[in-house]
Amino acid sequence: MEVRTEIITELREKFFKKLADEGPPDPKFHPVDIANVNNNNWLKRFLEHNENNMQDSLNMLWETCSWRSKFGTNEITEENVMKEYLNNGLCFIHGKDKDGKTMFVIKCKLHTKGSKDFSQLQKLVVYWFERLERQTNGNQISLFFDMSDTGILNMDMEFIKYLINLCKNYYPNFLNYIIIFEMPWILNTAFKMIKSWLPPKAIPKIKFVHKSNIHELVEPSDILTCWGGSNEYTFKFVPEAQNNIDATINGKFDNKKVHFAEGSPLTEQSTSSFGDQSNEEQLLSIEPDAFIFNKVGNEISGTITIKNVTVDKPLSYKVKTTSPGKFKVRLSSGVLLPQEQRTISVVVQQEHNMRSLFHVDKFLVMCLPLKDPNASAQELAVLWKSEKPAEEHKLRCCDGGITSNETSKLHSTSGLSETGQIDILSRKIAHLKDSHTKLYNDVVFLKHLLFFSMIVTIIMAIVVIYILKVDIKNFMDQQVCDMHGI
């Protein structure tokens, strides 16, 4: 569909007029999104999505900016998405469809409804969508649902609806195809419901394929071996920055990287440099120089106290970690007035309570001088994106003492080294996974058995009713004959 430049200009003018008339919403639109409104290609997508309907395009643009601000879309990075979800291969980018559009693969068998934190799952999808936006420069993509080896338990309708609503409401003209690979017949009813969520013009985008005809929609060289092709690609998460500069790293650099949440990878310094900073004038003091974790009640937590040691400079600070899914940081960012101090508390999430492995985790405390201590959160976000930290402190994690029975047992395993303990944990995890798989297979078998039993019961009931009906008919016929005989 042709979108003329003057229509794009009109949409932009209407958006800024509405912003001026109504004032900024709460929360305010992100500066990055305001800047994108000046991008003709972005506005063109809204008009294409709504077939040049100006009011619908304006409403969608406004709602998109509002949603992005509330969801924190511009702050989502691979460092603040759960690492477990990034690494398990549920979602990933691979290959092209027949039109040359990048495919976003959802491997349905790796997910069961309720098995993951849904808010973190939403964050995972938005991370991948934003990465696709950057990688394809806003070009269309195809959703590829790999449904091989899936069953009813893998059909998370809420998750699928969320994916579709993102494309429908917040990522305009983003979908090329929805490719469904090897869908089991038992899920036909579910997909009828999914079709009802799509606008009529999107229904033809749904394509069902099998190994025999997948080449009609997917580039043959991109068809994986598990899809019946020859491409032996196996998913392994590669950070976006690393993905973009692999050639440079392989050719020139080989520095070890430590990735901190919400930020770019930093070259890891030797352990002797922790807590040091290069500025002649120190801005922050931190006590102690490590997070020392202890168990208090049901929580494992550690604290540090940071202080603005200057007499005339307000500071903006941030605390980041290499394991954002493992820790909950309280007061992870804020503003410190001159001579003001603050206690930062870090609590270990309940599912990560192996304190013996804390040595692999690190924290980074950064700060920037501020001209205006009353700067808004959005102004601070822009400042952090545009400026390098004036000072950085890298902190270790330490186990402050053994108080739980489980941890005591772990450390008393015949004086095993940390490597040995990790091996034991790995074997236990593998055993748990095997047990989970066996239990899942047993549940599936029982479901099939129950289904078979129901079918047999229905058939038996029909047979019994038929026999009773025949017997009753014969009895009635006999009664009639007897009456005539009289």
Side-chain angles (χ1 to χ4, degrees):
M1 175 182 296
E2 182 184 358
V3 179
R4 299 192 307 275
T5 304
E6 55 266 30
I7 300 179
I8 297 174
T9 303
E10 182 184 352
L11 176 59
R12 180 182 298 113
E13 291 173 350
K14 286 182 177 293
F15 176 86
F16 283 121
K17 184 179 186 304
K18 181 174 181 178
L19 187 60
D21 292 344
E22 299 182 7
D26 185 23
K28 294 180 180 179
F29 292 151
H30 196 280
V32 171
D33 298 325
I34 293 295
N36 278 337
V37 176
N38 291 307
N39 183 334
N40 280 5
N41 289 332
W42 199 47
L43 295 193
K44 180 181 178 183
R45 289 170 55 188
F46 286 92
L47 290 161
E48 289 173 335
H49 188 93
N50 293 286
E51 299 179 336
N52 278 337
N53 184 299
M54 182 59 66
Q55 190 58 48
D56 288 348
S57 299
L58 177 61
N59 292 342
M60 185 180 185
L61 176 59
W62 189 271
E63 287 301 317
T64 296
C65 290
S66 179
W67 169 78
R68 292 177 66 86
S69 178
K70 291 175 183 176
F71 196 83
T73 305
N74 291 294
E75 280 75 43
I76 294 176
T77 71
E78 59 209 27
E79 305 301 342
N80 53 34
V81 176
M82 283 193 70
K83 292 293 185 291
E84 177 189 347
Y85 294 2
L86 281 173
N87 292 324
N88 75 351
L90 168 62
C91 306
F92 57 93
I93 301 169
H94 172 74
K96 308 279 187 181
D97 67 17
K98 68 172 186 178
D99 297 330
K101 311 296 186 184
T102 302
M103 294 194 304
F104 181 56
V105 180
I106 301 98
K107 215 165 182 63
C108 298
K109 73 175 182 180
L110 299 181
H111 174 67
T112 54
K113 183 175 175 60
S115 64
K116 295 178 176 63
D117 183 321
F118 193 69
S119 63
Q120 290 295 330
L121 200 57
Q122 291 175 315
K123 200 172 183 179
L124 171 73
V125 173
V126 171
Y127 162 76
W128 280 115
F129 273 29
E130 290 295 300
R131 182 165 170 171
L132 279 161
E133 287 269 7
R134 293 186 289 269
Q135 180 175 315
T136 66
N137 197 26
N139 202 350
Q140 288 183 320
I141 67 164
S142 283
L143 296 181
F144 186 100
F145 288 91
D146 181 353
M147 304 198 68
S148 53
D149 304 321
T150 60
I152 294 176
L153 293 178
N154 304 115
M155 199 64 178
D156 188 346
M157 301 297 285
E158 185 180 9
F159 177 51
I160 294 174
K161 187 174 185 179
Y162 180 73
L163 278 166
I164 290 174
N165 281 343
L166 283 180
C167 298
K168 182 180 176 181
N169 299 320
Y170 306 125
Y171 289 86
N173 200 31
F174 200 43
L175 266 184
N176 191 41
Y177 292 117
I178 300 175
I179 303 173
I180 316 295
F181 175 72
E182 296 284 357
M183 189 186 75
W185 65 269
I186 199 170
L187 301 179
N188 283 335
T189 303
F191 263 89
K192 288 180 181 177
M193 184 181 298
I194 291 170
K195 284 184 178 180
S196 69
W197 298 334
L198 292 166
K201 65 180 182 180
I203 301 294
K205 292 178 181 285
I206 300 179
K207 306 292 182 181
F208 294 90
V209 298
H210 300 274
K211 288 183 178 180
S212 59
N213 66 341
I214 187 174
H215 63 276
E216 296 175 2
L217 281 171
V218 178
E219 280 293 325
S221 59
D222 291 327
I223 300 176
L224 302 181
T225 53
C226 60
W227 300 341
S230 58
N231 189 309
E232 296 182 353
Y233 169 80
T234 301
F235 170 76
K236 181 179 180 182
F237 178 74
V238 178
E240 184 176 9
Q242 180 180 334
N243 194 45
N244 292 338
I245 61 172
D246 268 346
T248 305
I249 292 176
N250 292 336
K252 298 179 181 179
F253 304 102
D254 192 23
N255 291 334
K256 185 177 180 182
K257 301 290 180 180
V258 176
H259 293 268
F260 289 90
E262 301 177 6
S264 302
L266 301 170
T267 304
E268 184 179 19
Q269 302 174 357
S270 62
T271 54
S272 62
S273 68
F274 282 110
D276 294 340
Q277 48 86 27
S278 58
N279 289 8
E280 292 183 2
E281 179 188 5
Q282 185 173 346
L283 304 176
L284 276 180
S285 70
I286 301 178
E287 294 291 339
D289 62 355
F291 275 99
I292 302 172
F293 288 92
N294 290 285
K295 186 168 185 179
V296 180
N298 293 325
E299 281 190 348
I300 299 175
S301 62
T303 61
I304 57 169
T305 299
I306 62 174
K307 181 179 180 180
N308 180 351
V309 296
T310 70
V311 294
D312 59 351
K313 296 178 181 177
L315 301 176
S316 173
Y317 75 88
K318 274 191 175 185
V319 182
K320 301 180 181 181
T321 174
T322 54
S323 304
K326 184 174 183 178
F327 300 105
K328 183 177 182 180
V329 182
R330 293 168 179 167
L331 300 178
S332 62
S333 63
V335 174
L336 290 173
L337 298 176
Q339 297 297 303
E340 183 181 2
Q341 69 179 32
R342 189 162 300 165
T343 298
I344 309 299
S345 175
V346 175
V347 178
V348 183
Q349 302 283 16
Q350 290 185 355
E351 63 268 27
H352 299 283
N353 59 1
M354 290 299 180
R355 295 160 62 188
S356 62
L357 302 181
F358 284 170
H359 68 281
V360 303
D361 300 306
K362 297 178 178 67
F363 281 81
L364 179 69
V365 182
M366 306 180 297
C367 68
L368 276 174
L370 290 176
K371 292 181 180 179
D372 179 12
N374 297 315
S376 67
Q378 290 182 341
E379 291 169 335
L380 290 175
V382 172
L383 178 67
W384 277 101
K385 285 182 178 292
S386 60
E387 299 288 340
K388 291 184 178 179
E391 186 170 299
E392 297 177 350
H393 298 260
K394 294 182 182 179
L395 309 181
R396 304 183 193 89
C397 295
C398 304
D399 184 0
I402 302 172
T403 57
S404 69
N405 291 333
E406 291 183 2
T407 310
S408 298
K409 290 179 182 178
L410 180 64
H411 281 280
S412 63
T413 314
S414 305
L416 285 176
S417 65
E418 289 178 345
T419 302
Q421 293 173 12
I422 291 173
D423 288 340
I424 290 174
L425 287 173
S426 298
R427 287 196 293 272
K428 288 182 176 180
I429 290 170
H431 176 70
L432 285 172
K433 286 183 176 179
D434 290 340
S435 300
H436 177 269
T437 301
K438 184 177 182 301
L439 181 60
Y440 173 77
N441 291 336
D442 288 343
V443 170
V444 172
F445 172 77
L446 287 173
K447 284 180 175 291
H448 290 163
L449 185 61
L450 178 61
F451 179 76
F452 177 76
S453 300
M454 290 174 62
I455 296 297
V456 170
T457 302
I458 292 170
I459 293 172
M460 291 294 293
I462 292 172
V463 171
V464 169
I465 292 171
Y466 177 78
I467 292 172
L468 286 173
K469 187 176 179 181
V470 170
D471 286 344
I472 291 171
K473 185 177 183 301
N474 290 338
F475 175 78
M476 294 299 294
D477 290 343
Q478 183 63 40
Q479 290 293 319
V480 172
C481 289
D482 291 342
M483 289 176 64
H484 289 168
I486 292 173

